[in-house]
Amino acid sequence: MSAQIISGKEVSAQVRECLKKDVEQMKLKDPNFSPGLVVLQVGDRDDSNLYISMKLKAAKEIGINATHMRLPKTATEDEVLHSIKEVNENSSVHGLIVQLPLDSVHKIDTEKVTNAVAPEKDVDGLTSINAGKLSRGDLGDCFIPCTPNGCMELIKQTGVSVAGKRAVVIGRSKIVGAPMHDLLLWSHATVTTCHSKTADLPGEVGKADVLVVGIGKAEMVKGEWIKKGAVVIDCGINHIPDASRPSGKRVVGDVHYASAKEQAGFITPVPGGVGPMTVAMLMANTVLSAKRFLESHQPGKWNISYSNLNLQRPVPSDIVISRSCVPKPIDHLAKEVGLLSDEVELFGTTKAKVRLNIVQRLQAQPDGKYCGGHRVNLITPTPLGEGKSTTTIGLVQAMGAHMKLNVFACVRQPSQGPTFGIKGGAAGGGYSQVIPMEEFNLHLTGDIHAITAANNLVAAAIDARMFHESTQSDKALYNRLVPLSGGERKFSPIQINRLKKLGIEKTDPSSLTEEEVTRFSRLDIDPSSVTWQRVLDTNDRFLRKITIGQSPTEKGYTREAQFDITVASEIMAVLALTTSLQDMRQRLAKMVVATSRSGQPITTEDLGVSGALTVLMKDAIKPNLMQTLEGNPVFVHAGPFANIAHGNSSILADKIALKLVGPEGYVVTEAGFGADIGMEKFFNIKCRYSGLRPHVVVLVATVRALKMHGGGPTVTAGMPLPKEYIDENLELLEKGCSNMKKQIENAQHFGVPVVVAVNAFKTDTEAELDLVCSVAKAAGAFDAVHCTHWAEGGAGAVALGQAVQRASEAPSSFKFLYDLELPIADKIRTIARKIYGADDIELLPEAQLKVELYTKQGFGNLPVCMAKTHLSLSHEADKKGVPTGFVLPIRDIRASAGAGFLFPLVGTMPTIPGLPTRPCFYDIDLDPETEQVNGLF
């Protein structure tokens, strides 16, 4: 009786159908996900091309995104290894096949090349690591080579159990024989491996219940050698002469099929047996690799380690504490929180940028709690600051290291101005810091410098354009704007955009009429209308008012101008509010820099500089990853001042963090200065553009700040605190709690639960801390707790973390303070009355003119970003507590059309701070031997 034929075509079709369903299930869970396969080929061998085409066809049928990477015959070993490294680091690829043989004119070490493939992508199962795991029996933690794996699948189809049977493998190659031996052994067969030196090969074959042949010799195994009823798997592919075939040859296996069929119980044909199964198993390994990837990169599946703090008493300086903790390598932290290697750009060992391709990868994943909007805000602070950043970090350390929740901090990048001026470092303080604090405070990854360069490029472009327009005829101006190149004139893409804006649908520079040439060439900027200022990230008070154009080369075209601090630049606001690279390009293009003499807004796109700005900002848009003292992840990104801009870290950082923490995780993000400024702008501006809705507001209060609002003496940076702030004084404190109650009321206007964090200083008494908590709860706070995170790290903020967790589950009904459709003055009035407690507003003449201008120019529906002092609820810094009965003066209004808001200037508001008599830089120095920065806080 003839053997039953095991059809590899039928079995492989069944396997591929199952794989197709597996891929469909993956896509149901994540529509953006596809298993990825790369086939790397060196040279152009016909047989390799045939095998590769079969693999690509099978991949397409199953739904695998397969790519054929071709390298020429001239490729060197280094070039091949470089290509493999690129694929290893590409997170969208889950399988990498190096097609053998490597057809290069250069000598290439095949073993070295195959072992360069990342083991987790080695779907051929050829690396030493996968081979070693297979030989040890770790079948669930490796990739099994495809041909042996296919052979096992074919044996399984016979229904014959391998366990306890005698198995013989002929051949000992790394691709077939050796792994086949291991697979049969771990399936509990008694295995004999035979080869060219085996004595009495027919006798050994005759003992086999299961025979697998992969020796590479045509029809070597004869039928009479085979045990009656054995399972015969023929892996051979050989060509023998056959005059009856058009090609003059035919394919046969290593087994003499005709005679073996009469002895065996089951047999595979050649072709149509093992071959199709090899391709099917390759696809199966690729899908398995993709499944493993998804399993190990589930949203919120963190495997994070935390650092133990060695608390010292008294608490040392911030920089001593920062240096006492050894930060985790930043690539290690990135991996812990679910970032892939190709999503991270390392800046040394302690900071990194996160690429925006992560947004696409995590698009379908659910967000964590934007109690990430745990909006950390202050009561109205003292000039010394009340520990908002410290509380942000302490809360994150508590929720992560101590409550074992996934939690991310999102904070602003500090400006160099305050770092060298009054404030000093901004990395938090005590045992609740971002580390290394000197890197955090100095340059970081250069984002602020990129903004400085981009901002000043715009300023240079404005004055250069005004100069050239004033000194040239229309024709000369046009000829220079659209110069001859190679004998012809061409508009650049950005010039085409300007033509379209003007309603000129032409692309040939020679076709414009004289009138069109004039309209295109002349922006006709009114010098008195220029609102764009130069910037510098230094507190240089003497740049608040300058005269530019005094060189003789500028031919007398001078004008008054000024410098702002870099973080006040509209480009910083754009960075903080953008949602993608494309969105940033559009926002940068819409920035209004001046008005023409005919009343039209002049944008950076009109100046032709918006594309260049995007290039300068292409790296700054990527959030910066750092860590806390206890090893929690922190995004440090964007840094607009809250008194002269919207004062919040970036939307992108918040959105990426919300995806990374997973649906049960938390993101803690902070706003600058008091809740009347930072929080109001967070809700009314940032939340409008992000579409995110916060769950909790954390309001930071301190005893000393509340005493100041109760009528305590003036607090001056650099001077000792008066005794009223050091000694217990419940009467003064209770009077000052009016400011905290007002800020709680302000948060409640937005329908979000408020938790008050009373940041304890060593001079505070228990009675004082308890008083603040009881007043806060009576005023409507969801909860109020006092915290000791400055002295104790996360352990000192666990009660705060628990309160925030409870509050995030409480009902909320978030709402904006005003509708965008309201007239500009009414939006300002709403903020002034509801948030500051003013009776009304007064639009001074310049502000009234701007209301009319911006309404006419189409900016009337933008949200409002109030620029006012952070030291009082009113416009007067010395008015503490809760001032009443005042009218808020609006001296001017400016448009940040690219960022997407109007900013009224309240009272006198310098846009570049000045240095004090004794700036912080007196204490800052570098140790030339250790290269350590000293004196930073």
Side-chain angles (χ1 to χ4, degrees), residues 682-684 687-688 692-695 747 749-752 812-817:
F682 167 74
F683 287 134
N684 283 321
C687 287
R688 284 187 200 270
L692 299 172
R693 298 295 177 259
H695 294 71
H749 282 310
F750 299 94
V752 182
S812 64
S813 53
F814 176 77
K815 55 185 179 293
F816 296 116
L817 191 68

Side-chain angles (χ1 to χ4, degrees), residues 59 86 88 147 387 513 761 869:
E86 283 188 338
N88 284 343
T147 297
T513 66
F761 286 73
T869 179

Side-chain angles (χ1 to χ4, degrees), residues 166-247:
R166 278 184 165 277
V168 172
V169 178
I170 303 179
R172 51 185 172 177
S173 73
K174 294 177 182 178
I175 296 176
V176 180
M180 193 72 234
H181 171 279
D182 294 335
L183 279 175
L184 288 164
L185 184 66
W186 296 114
S187 296
H188 311 297
T190 301
V191 188
T192 301
T193 297
C194 299
H195 43 80
S196 59
K197 303 293 188 212
T198 300
D200 190 19
L201 183 59
E204 294 294 338
V205 171
K207 300 173 186 176
D209 301 308
V210 177
L211 176 65
V212 180
V213 188
I215 196 71
K217 293 184 179 179
E219 299 182 327
M220 184 190 78
V221 176
K222 311 303 179 185
E224 57 267 26
W225 298 4
I226 297 170
K227 182 178 180 180
K228 194 69 177 175
V231 176
V232 179
I233 307 294
D234 189 352
C235 301
I237 299 178
N238 308 284
H239 294 88
I240 61 171
D242 187 341
S244 67
R245 299 292 177 93
S247 63

Side-chain angles (χ1 to χ4, degrees), residues 455 532 568-575 587 591-592 895-900:
N455 184 99
W532 195 268
S569 169
E570 183 177 352
I571 297 177
M572 176 62 89
V574 166
L575 176 66
R587 287 176 180 270
M591 295 189 303
V592 174
S896 289

